[in-house]
């Protein structure tokens, strides 16, 4: 008998293995943050974020503050082609690549707002595996479309089988019933020429005959209520003309003719009056996005390389940067002014640059050194109004705004010289309190007035973090100050309590958090050397399966000190 719980799914080696991610805190480096010297407009955005660090850990770090708040995620992950990338090792085996992508997609889904969407650029090597993986994570019903982007503007004559000219863009919704994409305004030259007239207020329009074509449903016999006289400027009555011996009809009803009479035009010829109606550009030029995007409309790889070279010509270029026009199209469809955009594979920083110019808030994450050599210089030129390329002219960008630079904090726990896990010496008291607030699910909000309020989870629930050893008298005083209507989680090095404190929950650190996460694991990037070893062949002696085992306290002896190196 078949298992009733069986479902269609993609399987791969190691799918059931999941990392216990540490929710790191973010540390701002004001020397790398950058802001315009003055406001350019009232809509300037300053609180954008550039995060330097592993993107999986960074996504986890963003989860508490930004869950459900991101309107659009655009990512351009390594395509797993085996190409020799300078900044990414792109030759990851399929199973491992899928595991790494799955872990990121699950957090991205949590970060998206209910009306948000995910856009992923990918090529043939992993597109179809990724589609099925996204179906699992987001639900197949939330698949929106696959866009074909013409990434190359010319064929490769040395291709062995096919000259590949396109990449895919997979589009998913968080909840497709809440999704509301914007229609595109048709600003093409063809469309502009089509609206070849201008009214007194400067609005563009073109005209069409009000008389229907005169065949099928367009005849008087088929729609008799649409055969009636319209009063001409000279007072005469105009009826739909006969065509091929058949009476025609009007396109509009008599009621609409009366209501929209100002939009009618009358032209007198030798055969009599002809009635036309106006179609304005504002009401007729938008269209739903299509699924084939030409390089003429959204740029190609050649376009994007030229854009980056104009900004940071002194450093090596990326192999597959994305043109600004491509990101502009994505954000035009999926976001509005002020919405939050996230790119966790920032690369050369195109997403942030375009979002900034279009008045969207943004967060970017990048681990490579090109965060400093490519992205920061590029964003500085955008903010200073010195970037004249890309979409600058199209959106009328003049500069302004800014961003804050953050790096991931080191792991909260480190091993002392005896191999015991202790609190990392790099953490000061405020950082320790913030990190433990995040681990325990509290919002870090230290009070200036109440020393024991380091964080809050509800109006009545608080957390207090201290490296001191608390006596019975101190705990009793805390209990009295908290009062019967509130509760307090106390995390301390040690305590000596003799009584019952009904409004306090007292836990020792670091024992309280030892089994929570993979401590000391700083790199979950798509690099082969950082990946788990392959399982041994059947019958072979087992090897260490994970170069970064979960640092649980079992088997390592009792925890001795908070920051010190005391032996267990």
């Amino acid at each position: 008998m078949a298992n009733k719980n069986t479902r269609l799914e993609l399987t791969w080696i190691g799918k059931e293995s999941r990392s216990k991610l540490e929710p790191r805190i973010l540390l701002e480096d004001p020397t790398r943050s950058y802001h315009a010297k003055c406001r350019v407009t009232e809509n300037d955005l300053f609180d954008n974020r550039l995060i330097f660090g592993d993107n999986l850990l960074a996504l986890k770090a963003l989860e508490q503050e930004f869950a459900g708040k991101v309107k659009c995620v655009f990512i351009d992950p390594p395509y797993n082609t085996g190409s020799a990338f300078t900044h990414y090792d792109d030759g990851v085996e399929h199973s491992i690549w899928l595991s790494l992508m799955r872990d990121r997609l699950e957090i991205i889904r949590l970060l998206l707002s209910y009306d948000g969407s995910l856009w992923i650029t990918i090529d043939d090597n992993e597109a179809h595996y990724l589609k099925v993986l996204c179906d699992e994570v987001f639900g197949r019903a939330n698949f929106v479309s696959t866009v074909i982007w013409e990434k190359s503007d010319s064929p490769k004559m040395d291709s062995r089988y096919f000259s590949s000219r396109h990449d895919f863009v997979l589009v998913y919704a968080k909840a497709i019933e809440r999704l509301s994409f914007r229609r595109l305004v048709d600003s093409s030259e063809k469309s502009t020429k089509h609206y070849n007239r201008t009214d007194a207020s400067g609005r563009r329009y073109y005209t069409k005959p009000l008389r229907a074509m005169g065949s099928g449903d367009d005849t008087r016999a088929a729609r008799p209520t649409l055969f009636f006289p319209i009063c001409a400027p000279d007072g005469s009555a105009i009826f739909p003309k006969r065509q091929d011996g058949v009476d025609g009809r009007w396109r509009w009803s008599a009621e609409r003719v009366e209501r929209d009479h100002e939009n009618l035009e009358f032209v007198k010829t030798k055969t009599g009056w002809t009635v036309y109606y106006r179609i304005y550009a504002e009401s007729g030029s938008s269209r739903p996005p299509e699924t084939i995007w030409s390089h003429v409309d959204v740029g190609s790889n050649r376009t994007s390389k030229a854009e980056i070279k104009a900004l940071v010509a002194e450093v090596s270029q990326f192999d597959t940067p994305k043109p600004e026009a491509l990101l502009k199209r994505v954000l035009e469809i999926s976001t509005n002014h002020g919405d939050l955009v996230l790119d966790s594979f920032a690369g050369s920083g195109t997403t942030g640059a375009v979002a900034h110019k279009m008045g969207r808030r943004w967060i970017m994450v990048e681990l490579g050194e090109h965060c400093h050599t490519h992205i920061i210089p590029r964003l500085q030129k955008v903010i200073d109004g010195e970037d004249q390329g890309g979409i600058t002219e199209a959106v009328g960008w003049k500069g302004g705004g800014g961003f804050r630079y953050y790096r991931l904090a080191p792991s909260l726990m480190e091993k002392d010289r005896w191999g015991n896990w202790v609190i990392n010496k790099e953490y000061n008291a405020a950082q320790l309190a913030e990190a433990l607030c995040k681990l325990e699910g509290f919002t870090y909000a230290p009070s200036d007035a109440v020393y024991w309020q380091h964080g809050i989870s509800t109006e009545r629930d608080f957390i207090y973090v201290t490296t001191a050893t608390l006596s019975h008298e101190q705990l009793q005083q805390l209990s009295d100050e908290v009062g019967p209507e509130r509760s307090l989680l106390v995390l301390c090095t040690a305590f000596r309590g003799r009584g019952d404190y009904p409004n306090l929950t007292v836990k020792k650190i670091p024992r309280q958090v030892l089994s929570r996460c993979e401590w000391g694991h700083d790199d979950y990037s798509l690099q082969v050397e950082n990946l788990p070893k392959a399982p041994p062949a059947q019958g072979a002696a087992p090897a260490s399966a994970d170069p970064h085992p979960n640092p649980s306290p079992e088997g390592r002896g009792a925890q001795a000190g908070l920051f010190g190196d005391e032996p267990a």
Side-chain angles (χ1 to χ4, degrees):
M1 181 179 294
N3 187 347
K4 293 182 179 180
N5 295 324
T6 299
R7 65 188 180 104
L8 182 65
E9 64 176 320
L10 182 65
T11 61
W12 63 86
I13 297 170
K15 181 178 181 179
E16 303 306 316
S17 299
R18 292 178 179 270
S19 301
K20 297 176 70 175
L21 298 175
E22 177 187 356
R24 305 278 182 93
I25 61 173
L26 299 173
L27 304 177
E28 183 180 0
D29 182 351
T31 64
R32 294 186 185 271
S33 299
Y34 195 80
H35 298 89
K37 294 179 176 62
C38 61
R39 279 191 174 272
V40 177
T41 72
E42 291 301 316
N43 297 319
D44 287 356
L45 299 172
F46 292 90
D47 198 26
N48 303 298
R49 298 193 182 194
L50 175 61
I51 301 171
F52 179 65
D54 178 85
N55 66 5
L56 184 57
L57 287 172
L59 289 171
K60 187 67 177 177
L62 294 169
E63 185 180 328
Q64 183 186 57
E65 182 177 355
F66 291 98
K69 296 180 180 179
V70 178
K71 187 65 176 294
C72 173
V73 176
F74 178 91
I75 56 174
D76 180 26
Y79 290 178
N80 200 23
T81 61
S83 302
F85 273 42
T86 302
H87 303 298
Y88 295 113
D89 190 325
D90 208 27
V92 185
E93 193 270 334
H94 293 286
S95 292
I96 298 172
W97 189 87
L98 287 168
S99 289
L100 294 167
M101 288 303 301
R102 185 268 316 275
D103 294 345
R104 287 157 174 81
L105 290 172
E106 288 179 340
I107 302 179
I108 284 171
R109 184 180 179 276
L110 292 173
L111 293 172
L112 279 172
S113 60
Y114 279 105
D115 58 349
S117 59
L118 166 66
W119 303 66
I120 314 174
T121 55
I122 200 74
D123 71 356
D124 281 310
N125 287 278
E126 297 290 353
H128 306 88
Y129 289 103
L130 183 59
K131 165 66 169 66
V132 180
L133 175 62
C134 288
D135 284 347
E136 284 192 27
V137 175
F138 283 82
R140 191 170 182 178
N142 289 313
F143 170 68
V144 181
S145 190
T146 301
V147 173
I148 306 299
W149 168 48
E150 187 184 19
K151 67 179 179 180
S152 175
D153 53 19
S154 61
K156 294 181 178 179
M157 303 309 295
D158 58 349
S159 298
R160 183 175 182 183
Y161 300 115
F162 290 94
S163 174
S164 177
R165 297 279 298 274
H166 74 278
D167 274 348
F168 300 100
V169 184
L170 299 183
V171 187
Y172 277 81
K174 171 76 169 282
I176 200 162
E177 69 278 3
R178 300 277 295 273
L179 189 67
S180 178
F181 277 174
R182 299 171 65 195
R183 293 169 66 90
L184 297 175
V185 176
D186 194 346
S187 59
S188 65
E189 181 180 356
K190 180 179 178 181
S191 173
T192 302
K193 290 181 178 179
H194 193 56
Y195 295 92
N196 57 358
R197 297 169 182 252
T198 305
D199 67 11
S201 64
R203 298 168 64 200
R204 292 183 299 111
Y205 70 94
Y206 70 94
T207 60
K208 292 184 68 174
L210 188 62
R211 180 192 178 278
M213 296 303 295
S215 61
D217 287 344
D218 291 342
T219 64
R220 175 183 180 181
R223 305 286 297 276
T225 60
L226 298 182
F227 184 86
F228 54 87
I230 295 177
C231 184
D234 61 4
S236 62
I238 309 173
F239 286 91
K241 295 178 180 179
R242 292 175 63 85
Q243 181 174 321
D244 298 329
V246 177
D247 285 333
R249 65 167 179 85
W250 301 121
R251 296 177 186 270
W252 291 2
S253 66
E255 291 79 8
R256 184 174 179 186
V257 168
E258 182 177 358
R259 184 178 72 245
D260 295 338
H261 194 271
E262 291 183 356
N263 286 334
L264 297 181
E265 293 188 4
F266 297 85
V267 177
K268 191 172 186 179
T269 65
K270 294 180 180 179
T271 59
W273 289 97
T274 301
V275 186
Y276 296 87
Y277 67 98
R278 297 176 180 178
I279 300 176
Y280 282 91
E282 290 82 356
S283 60
S285 62
S286 67
R287 56 185 172 83
E290 299 180 18
T291 55
I292 297 179
W293 294 1
S294 166
H295 74 86
V296 175
D297 298 322
V298 299
S300 65
N301 282 337
R302 189 195 305 271
T303 308
S304 53
K305 288 181 181 181
E307 291 171 350
I308 296 175
K309 187 175 182 180
L311 296 171
V312 283
E314 71 279 2
V315 294
S316 61
Q317 306 303 308
F318 283 74
D319 285 1
T320 59
K322 299 301 175 281
E324 290 198 7
L326 176 68
L327 269 297
K328 177 176 179 286
R329 171 72 62 87
V330 170
L331 299 187
E332 281 177 337
I333 294 169
S334 61
T335 66
N336 295 300
H337 193 278
D339 284 340
L340 181 59
V341 178
L342 168 66
D343 184 349
S344 56
F345 291 90
S348 61
T350 301
T351 300
V354 172
H356 203 94
K357 294 177 184 180
M358 293 179 67
R360 275 64 168 170
R361 296 176 296 132
W362 56 265
I363 300 172
M364 291 195 294
V365 182
E366 186 50 63
L367 174 62
E369 185 56 30
H370 51 285
C371 180
H372 307 119
T373 59
H374 287 71
I375 297 178
I376 291 179
R378 180 178 191 172
L379 293 174
Q380 288 173 340
K381 291 183 178 181
V382 171
I383 291 165
D384 291 339
E386 297 176 359
D387 175 8
Q388 300 303 312
I391 66 167
T392 294
E393 183 177 351
V395 300
W397 176 249
K398 303 298 182 183
F403 67 90
R404 298 181 185 277
Y405 173 97
Y406 292 88
R407 61 179 175 85
L408 283 171
S411 180
L412 177 62
M413 305 293 293
E414 64 179 356
K415 285 187 176 181
D416 64 16
R417 55 183 171 176
W418 285 283
N420 298 313
W421 289 101
V422 297
I423 298 293
N424 194 321
K425 294 184 180 68
E426 293 185 36
Y427 276 71
N428 59 34
Q431 292 168 352
L432 176 62
E434 183 179 358
L436 290 174
C437 280
K438 181 168 280 192
L439 276 167
E440 296 293 338
F442 286 74
T443 300
Y444 180 62
S447 170
D448 293 331
V450 183
Y451 73 92
W452 47 263
Q453 288 185 9
H454 284 155
I456 184 171
S457 63
T458 70
E459 292 183 359
R460 299 177 182 275
D461 299 318
F462 301 90
I463 185 174
Y464 172 48
V465 179
T466 177
T467 56
T469 298
L470 298 180
S471 66
H472 166 68
E473 290 74 20
Q474 289 171 313
L475 290 172
Q476 187 62 60
Q477 181 181 346
L478 271 175
S479 180
D480 294 341
E481 292 184 18
V482 171
E485 302 299 323
R486 296 182 294 191
S487 64
L488 181 67
L489 172 60
V490 180
L491 300 180
C492 57
T493 307
F495 63 93
R496 294 187 290 273
R498 299 196 302 272
D500 182 24
Y501 318 103
N503 52 1
L504 303 184
T505 302
V506 187
K507 300 288 185 179
K508 292 182 180 180
I509 52 174
R511 181 185 303 170
Q512 168 72 4
V513 298
L514 273 179
S515 62
R516 298 279 185 86
C517 312
E518 291 181 349
W519 305 108
H521 193 163
D522 294 320
D523 194 347
Y524 293 86
S525 62
L526 304 183
Q527 301 281 347
V528 173
E529 60 269 25
N530 298 320
L531 300 174
K533 295 179 180 178
Q538 189 172 3
S544 175
D546 188 351
H548 304 283
N550 177 39
S552 61
E554 290 77 16
R556 293 191 175 91
Q559 175 62 39
L562 186 64
F563 296 94
D565 289 330
E566 299 91 341

